[in-house]
Amino acid sequence: MIDHQVPRRWKELLRAQGRSFAWVAPLLLLAGITAVDLNTTERFRIISWIVLVPGTAAAICGVWATAVLAVLAVLDYIAVDHAWPHQYQAGLPDFILVALAGLLAILACAVRKNGERRMLHMRDIAETTRRTVLRPLPPGWAGLEHAAVYLAADTEARVGGDFYDIQPGRYGTRVLVGDVQGKGLGAVETAAALLGTFREAGYHERDLATVADRLETRMVRHRSHAVALGHDDGDRFATAVLLGFPPGASDVVEVVNFGHEPPLAVSSGGVRSLPPGGGLPLGMGELQPASGPPPTLTVALAPGETLLITTDGVTESRNGDGEFYDLLQAVSPTAPPDPSRLVARIRDGVLHHTHGHLSDDTTIFAIRRNLTP
């Protein structure tokens, strides 16, 4: 995956106490070319290399700094060239080259700065969208220790079809983690629709099965609306895991699985997979043999056991040799059951395994009941 923070880090290296010192580099280049030209013989005239000065400034400085350095380059060229006897002067052609290079550098810098402003604006929009779809969760939210990592395969968009949330309510705390089929804006819209329904139904509904039914209905309605608008969403679906933590029952969790990889229960004593449940993805409820949502399973949880849910960006990630990432090995009994450390371990493992080249959106989500009251 491309690290889009690199340009920002370079800019930070060229700043001190809030002020930019990027102009120092092209100014030193100007001084160096001048010194070499004046201290070598007429056989080694390099004053025309001064065209590199405005070009360098255009890459790292602002428009005004580039313009100043372009003017300095022209003036320096005139001064240095006239310091030589007439027969050794570079003359008018090189002067035109230096002047033209300065003008082009100023234009290129203006284009670059405009592109940067547009990029920052788009990043702000993408960040706002991400925080709207995947809202920040306070520490210890709803009595759960939690940690999540979301890595978008499209690093420009920074948000895709993976989704997760924790919703406390009247009848316990509910958790939803899922993955919308497909990519692009349509997947983001679908994820937002499902999360909106989950946040309302998860708060108000008594039974987890009712929340699951509301999610299936919302998926069908959203898909119908998208098709009516002419979007190619007629066969879109989403896999998901819906969890319920009933109040007063700290040793169990309710699970409804919509065709997703079953959660893993991780503890210091080992790793086990929760029952798959046999449900179909959201949007495919009409294909369910029996009417209604997938069955609600009640699974016992040991004290301190962490539930780990990942999307297929983890389980289907491959290295250069086509080998899949071994999630079970990563969550072996030696893995820390603490949600934050467990998520960080898997994130680092996936990025190392794929060398940072993710082929799909990747979500790693871990939760456990608070160990302290």
Side-chain angles (χ1 to χ4, degrees), residues 10 22 27 42 63 78 115 131 157 167 181 202-203 205 241 260 296 333 335 337 362:
W10 275 109
L27 189 62
E42 67 278 0
V63 176
I78 295 173
R131 292 175 66 87
Q167 179 59 57
Q181 173 265 336
Y203 177 84
E205 300 297 343
V241 174
H260 201 84
T296 301
T362 300

Side-chain angles (χ1 to χ4, degrees), residues 65-346:
T66 301
V68 170
L69 286 162
V71 172
L72 286 177
V74 171
L75 296 176
D76 188 75
Y77 171 85
I78 295 173
V80 173
D81 198 39
H82 281 75
W84 287 87
H86 179 75
Q87 64 270 28
Y88 301 129
Q89 291 179 7
L92 182 61
D94 282 2
F95 170 78
I96 295 175
L97 174 65
V98 173
L100 183 60
L103 292 175
L104 291 177
I106 296 171
L107 177 61
C109 184
V111 172
R112 175 180 68 84
K113 295 296 289 185
N114 183 60
E116 287 181 354
R117 284 191 293 269
R118 292 181 60 186
M119 181 190 70
L120 291 175
H121 180 63
M122 294 304 297
R123 286 172 65 92
D124 289 342
I125 294 175
E127 181 65 17
T128 301
T129 302
R130 187 188 68 83
R131 292 175 66 87
T132 300
V133 177
L134 303 177
R135 62 179 180 177
L137 299 174
W141 181 236
L144 297 176
E145 294 182 51
H146 61 83
V149 166
Y150 177 83
L151 303 172
D154 183 353
T155 51
E156 291 292 342
R158 304 183 72 191
V159 64
D162 287 6
F163 57 92
Y164 59 84
D165 201 6
I166 299 174
Q167 179 59 57
R170 301 177 180 179
Y171 308 106
T173 299
R174 276 69 187 264
V175 176
L176 180 67
V177 182
D179 179 8
V180 177
Q181 173 265 336
K183 299 181 184 294
L185 185 58
V188 178
E189 291 175 342
T190 302
L194 291 173
L195 285 173
T197 297
F198 166 73
R199 289 161 186 165
E200 290 301 311
Y203 177 84
H204 289 288
E205 300 297 343
R206 177 186 299 273
D207 298 324
L208 196 66
T210 306
V211 179
D213 187 58
R214 292 276 299 277
L215 288 171
E216 172 66 24
T217 302
R218 185 69 179 98
M219 183 69 190
V220 174
R221 290 175 55 206
H222 174 77
R223 194 169 58 190
S224 299
H225 179 262
V227 171
L229 291 174
H231 300 164
D232 187 19
D233 285 9
D235 57 353
R236 192 181 295 278
F237 61 88
T239 64
V241 174
L242 176 63
L243 303 177
F245 293 87
S250 60
D251 57 345
V252 299
V253 61
E254 297 175 330
V255 184
V256 178
N257 193 320
F258 294 95
H260 201 84
E261 287 288 332
L264 298 177
V266 184
S267 68
S268 56
V271 181
R272 63 188 176 97
S273 176
L274 270 58
L280 294 178
L282 290 165
M284 295 185 174
E286 59 188 18
L287 303 178
Q288 197 80 17
S291 60
T296 301
L297 306 178
T298 301
V299 182
L301 283 182
E305 209 165 22
T306 296
L307 293 179
L308 173 68
I309 308 171
T310 64
T311 58
D312 55 12
V314 174
T315 55
E316 296 182 5
S317 61
R318 304 190 189 196
N319 60 15
D321 297 327
E323 299 172 341
F324 288 103
Y325 176 70
D326 192 343
L327 178 61
L328 288 178
Q329 182 179 2
V331 294
S332 63
T334 59
D338 173 75
S340 297
R341 296 172 61 192
L342 179 60
V343 164
R345 174 175 179 158
I346 298 171

Side-chain angles (χ1 to χ4, degrees), residues 21-38 46-61 69-70 72-74 76-77 80 98 101 105:
F21 290 91
W23 52 268
V24 173
L27 189 62
L28 290 176
L29 179 61
L30 175 67
I33 293 173
T34 301
V36 171
D37 191 86
L38 290 175
I46 64 167
I47 190 59
S48 59
W49 292 13
I50 212 168
V51 297
L52 297 174
V53 173
T56 303
I60 62 176
C61 299
L69 286 162
L72 286 177
V74 171
D76 188 75
Y77 171 85
V80 173
V98 173

